[in-house]
Every structure is written in C-alpha cells, then in structure tokens.
Amino acid sequence: MGLRQDSSDTQNPVVPKPRKQFNIAIVGGGLAGLSLAIGLVQRGIPVQIYEGATEWTNAGAGLVFAKNSMAAMAKISPDIYAAFAKRSSGQGWESKKTTYMDYRDGSTDGDLITSVICANTGQESVHRTLFAKDLVALLPDGTFHMGKRLTAIDNRPDGGYTLRWANGQSTGADVVFGSDGIKSKCRQLLLGEDSPETTPKFAKEFAYRGMVPMEKAVAVLGEEFARNSMVNIGSGCLTTTYPVEKGTLLNLVACRSIGTWEHDEWVVPSSQEAVRKDFAGCGPVMQKVISMMDKPAMWALFDHPECSTFYKGRFALIGDAAHASTPHQGAGCGQAFEDALILCSLLEDEHVLSAAHVEDALEAYDAIRRPRTLKIVNTSRENGEICMKRGKDIGGDLGKIKASLDQRFHWIWHEDLDEQVQQAKAKMYEISEARPHTAVVN
C-alpha cells in the first residue's frame, strides 16, 4: 500500500475514515506540541504528549501573532483559535487596529519611523503560559503528561521507538515528534550530539523582559505608547512593548547587542543599575520602558539558523526544536502552528494508514517546511540588526530602515496556507510513487 490521490468517483460519498494503524508520541508540551496534539486527536489519530517540566512557569511571557499564524490555528482546530481569541489583545486604539507595529526612533522622544500595516488582522498577542494551559484543557484526559524528561530514544526492530525518561520509565511509539524547544534533546538525538547543527547559535544580543499592569504602563508611558504595540529603535539596542491579556498587562522587552555571552546559564540576574547603564544615551521613551523592569534578568538570545533535515525515519522535529528564532519578526511561534497544520493535513490523508507510510509524510513535511522556516530564522536575526541601526548597507539611515520594514513581513503574513498544504500532499504522493515498496499501482 502507498500514497496517491484517488480520482475515482463513488456512489456513496459518506465513507468512514480508515483507522490509523500507528500511534504518536510528542516530546515537549509547548505550543508546537500542544497544537499538533490537538489537531491529531481531533482527526482521530492516537497521540500522547510528554512534557519534561514538573510545573508551569511564566518563561517567555508574551507572544505576538499576525495573519498567517491565526489562520493556521483556525485550520488546525477552531478550538485552538477560540482559546487564542479568548485571551488575545490587539492594538488598544481603534485607529490602529490594522497596525502590526509602530516603529519609532528611540534616540528621540519616540518620533515615528513607520507604521507597519497587516491588513484585516493587525497584530494580536497573548500570555504564553496562560494560552498553553488553555490548550492542555482541550486534550482528552490522560493525553498530557508532565515530569517526563527525555534521556534517550532507542530504535525498535519494527521501525518504531522506545522513549526513555529520566525517572527510569519508558514509552513505546510508532512515530515521534520532538517539540522540546531550543535546547531540544530530540534535536541532539536526531542530528547527532556531535553535529554542529545541534548547538543553538548565540545571536549576539540579550534581552531584559518584564510584564506590568496596564495602569502602571499608562502612568509611565502615556495612553498611546502603553495601549498600542511599539518598537523603539536605538543604536545597538531596541525596546518592544505590546498589550496582553485583553489589554490588562503590558509586555516589555529590551534588547541589547553584545559580542559574546560569557555565562554558563542563558538567564542571569541583573539590576536596575545595569539596565540603566546598558541603555544610557537612549531617548526618553526607551528610558521609561526600562524603568518598569522589576527584578531584571539578562536573557541570552539564541537561534537555530541551520538544519540539514527535520526528520529521520518516523522521527521529526517541529517548532523551536527545528527552527528556533529570535523575536524580531514576531514570526517564530507562528511557524509552529504552520508546522502543525501541515503535519495534521498529511497524517490525516486517507492513504496514510500504517506507520510505513508516515516516513513519506515526514519527508514531504521536511521538503516544504524547512526552507520557509529557516528563512524566517535568518531574516529575523537580520531584522534585529536593522532595528538596532546595525543593518548591512542600512546602518542608522532612518529612510532605509523604513523602506526595509515596510516590505519585509509581507511574504510571511500572506502565505497561502491551503496552497502550502496542497504542495505538501503533492510532494508526499510523489515520494510514495518513487518508492516501490509503498507505491500504489493502478
């Protein structure tokens, strides 16, 4: 049995879908893994999801989404989009509803460089942890498991896998998806621990992060700058602010360029004095943003700009485990939902019945998703350079910065997701037909 499109007519269009003859384990309970799990469960595909943490944290705080990300959520499952809409915050002012971000000159009192428009949707943002908890609630009882830290994956004679956990237990699965974040153990196991692609690459910048009640933000920044999304561009630094939780909180991010990261840990405690020193010489608005950082810590920014493959056999990477990105295009997390959409669409295909067929689906997923996601990783790092007035051939020229910002997001936002699904399916059928052991013969 193999994969190919069935063009034959039928007298009875209401035919029950064949039951899938494989089960799936997802390693990592972030938004990538959760969205994939929900989509698979709702398509009748057996899945279990395993999270290494023993409890929830607020790491990462706010996340930004645009048109393509929200469309992917809805196509995976209307329930995911409903959970998102319950918590999401857009621009606070009606006049800015189609604005993605206002980019301002941080060396001044916030003079506008450009308003980047994302028609029909603008920008929406959520609190990461609260959104993730809402998604867990959409899964059947007994599907989501915490305290499962992966240590190894063994190959089984039948082509499946045995997952080994730090607590000494093990789990069997026919198919495995690694969605365990930028420090992914799955990435190490899939690419090889000695592969240079396994190690996250330092993006030569760090960030201070915070979240404050909107009332405090308004008192410090004023109505316009607090209730709407802003990026203030400085020399070697930037600040990003946007509302979350229906506008009741303001998410704060302040990034600073740095040549190397000398610490063993990625997050190290800091102080208000250090923050002020890092942003000395910036304009009044940026100074006000950093003044609200309570108990600041330095977060090193890393990414995964290269990956020779997202899969091997029936084992694949999704989300940050595959293509972790810096935050400078607000697109990294959105790509996790696109990953999940493509995988759900391939695995629910009526010809993908057994575990033997899954490898064709994963090869198609890799062919379609890897070029787009890695381009996003690399252009995000590039945009960080531009928004710190260090872009190649751009520097501090505000006219060139505006020209870049006005056009650089469109290819991300206006992706035809239905076409991407069809391309992935066509690729899967092509791969299957080329494999004699799986090809369907007329």
Side-chain angles (χ1 to χ4, degrees):
M1 295 284 295
L3 317 177
R4 76 182 183 101
Q5 292 163 301
D6 184 359
S7 59
S8 61
D9 294 330
T10 178
Q11 298 299 315
N12 179 15
V14 182
V15 179
K17 290 184 178 180
R19 182 176 176 82
K20 302 297 183 179
Q21 299 165 17
F22 55 86
N23 63 71
I24 294 173
I26 298 174
V27 180
L31 296 180
L34 288 169
S35 58
L36 178 60
I38 292 165
L40 294 174
V41 165
Q42 294 186 353
R43 288 163 174 79
I45 301 174
V47 62
Q48 296 287 311
I49 182 167
Y50 303 93
E51 166 56 38
T54 56
E55 60 183 6
W56 293 99
T57 70
N58 290 327
L63 294 170
V64 170
F65 298 92
K67 179 180 178 180
N68 61 300
S69 310
M70 292 181 271
M73 291 179 204
K75 290 176 183 294
I76 299 166
S77 166
D79 293 336
I80 293 177
Y81 183 77
F84 172 79
K86 182 181 75 172
R87 293 199 176 276
S88 65
S89 303
Q91 305 287 4
W93 286 12
E94 189 64 32
S95 61
K96 294 180 177 290
K97 289 299 184 185
T98 61
T99 300
Y100 177 70
M101 285 276 184
D102 280 344
Y103 287 83
R104 298 181 176 273
D105 185 359
S107 65
T108 69
D109 197 14
D111 293 348
L112 184 67
I113 298 173
T114 188
S115 292
V116 176
I117 304 301
C118 186
N120 300 323
T121 63
Q123 175 252 79
E124 295 282 335
S125 51
V126 294
H127 189 295
R128 177 201 296 264
T129 303
L130 298 179
F131 182 33
K133 287 181 179 179
D134 290 342
L135 295 188
V136 172
L138 297 177
L139 290 167
D141 291 344
T143 302
F144 184 79
H145 312 271
M146 297 191 79
K148 293 288 190 178
R149 184 169 62 84
L150 184 71
T151 59
I153 296 180
D154 299 333
N155 294 310
R156 298 189 320 215
D158 65 355
Y161 305 94
T162 299
L163 291 76
R164 302 202 178 277
W165 312 112
N167 63 6
Q169 297 176 338
S170 62
T171 302
D174 298 314
V175 181
V176 176
F177 289 106
S179 62
D180 48 342
I182 189 169
K183 297 181 180 180
S184 170
K185 181 65 175 180
C186 288
R187 186 182 179 100
Q188 294 176 17
L189 296 172
L190 191 145
L191 297 175
E193 295 192 10
D194 295 332
S195 169
E197 294 179 348
T198 293
T199 305
K201 304 302 184 289
F202 180 53
K204 297 185 178 180
E205 58 180 308
F206 67 90
Y208 296 106
R209 293 171 171 174
M211 193 173 287
V212 297
M214 184 57 70
E215 293 80 4
K216 177 179 178 179
V218 169
V220 173
L221 296 174
E223 287 282 342
E224 181 180 7
F225 283 21
R227 296 195 184 278
N228 301 288
S229 302
M230 306 281 174
V231 176
N232 291 285
I233 294 174
S235 296
C237 60
L238 64 82
T239 62
T240 303
T241 56
Y242 50 87
V244 296
E245 278 299 287
K246 295 299 181 185
T248 61
L249 300 169
L250 185 68
N251 194 71
L252 313 172
V253 182
C255 294
R256 181 83 216 182
S257 64
I258 187 173
T260 58
W261 185 252
E262 304 294 343
H263 307 279
D264 293 333
E265 300 297 325
W266 287 16
V267 182
V268 297
S270 187
S271 66
Q272 266 291 341
E273 181 182 2
V275 178
R276 288 192 295 268
K277 182 178 179 180
D278 284 329
F279 288 84
C282 295
V285 175
M286 293 182 76
Q287 297 292 341
K288 290 175 182 178
V289 170
I290 65 170
S291 74
M292 293 186 287
M293 295 287 182
D294 184 31
K295 298 180 181 178
M298 300 168 63
W299 296 65
L301 298 185
F302 288 79
D303 60 13
H304 279 307
E306 298 177 345
C307 193
S308 55
T309 182
F310 284 176
Y311 89 105
K312 285 184 180 177
R314 305 176 202 161
F315 180 17
L317 306 174
I318 66 170
D320 281 355
H323 45 76
S325 174
T326 57
H328 301 304
Q329 289 179 147
C333 189
Q335 289 308 293
F337 290 102
E338 288 191 21
D339 288 348
L341 172 63
I342 297 302
L343 286 167
C344 287
S345 300
L346 292 173
L347 295 175
E348 76 168 334
D349 187 275
E350 62 182 338
H351 297 296
V352 181
L353 295 177
S354 71
H357 297 144
V358 172
E359 186 171 348
D360 297 342
L362 297 187
E363 184 175 343
Y365 158 76
D366 177 72
I368 298 301
R369 294 296 299 153
R370 188 156 49 91
R372 173 169 166 81
T373 55
L374 295 183
K375 182 179 178 181
I376 284 174
V377 175
N378 286 283
T379 55
S380 177
R381 189 185 281 215
E382 177 185 86
N383 198 44
E385 295 280 321
I386 291 169
C387 291
M388 295 187 196
K389 298 185 178 179
R390 299 187 298 135
K392 183 179 179 181
D393 300 325
I394 294 178
D397 187 321
L398 297 184
K400 291 182 178 179
I401 292 173
K402 171 179 165 55
S404 175
L405 292 170
D406 284 344
Q407 56 78 33
R408 72 178 300 110
F409 299 93
H410 294 172
W411 71 275
I412 302 173
W413 297 340
H414 302 299
E415 173 78 354
D416 187 332
L417 295 178
D418 291 334
E419 176 62 22
Q420 191 179 144
V421 167
Q422 290 309 310
Q423 289 176 357
K425 287 191 173 186
K427 186 67 177 177
M428 180 173 67
Y429 300 139
E430 175 190 326
I431 291 165
S432 178
E433 291 295 336
R435 286 181 173 153
H437 65 285
T438 62
V440 172
V441 180
N442 285 325

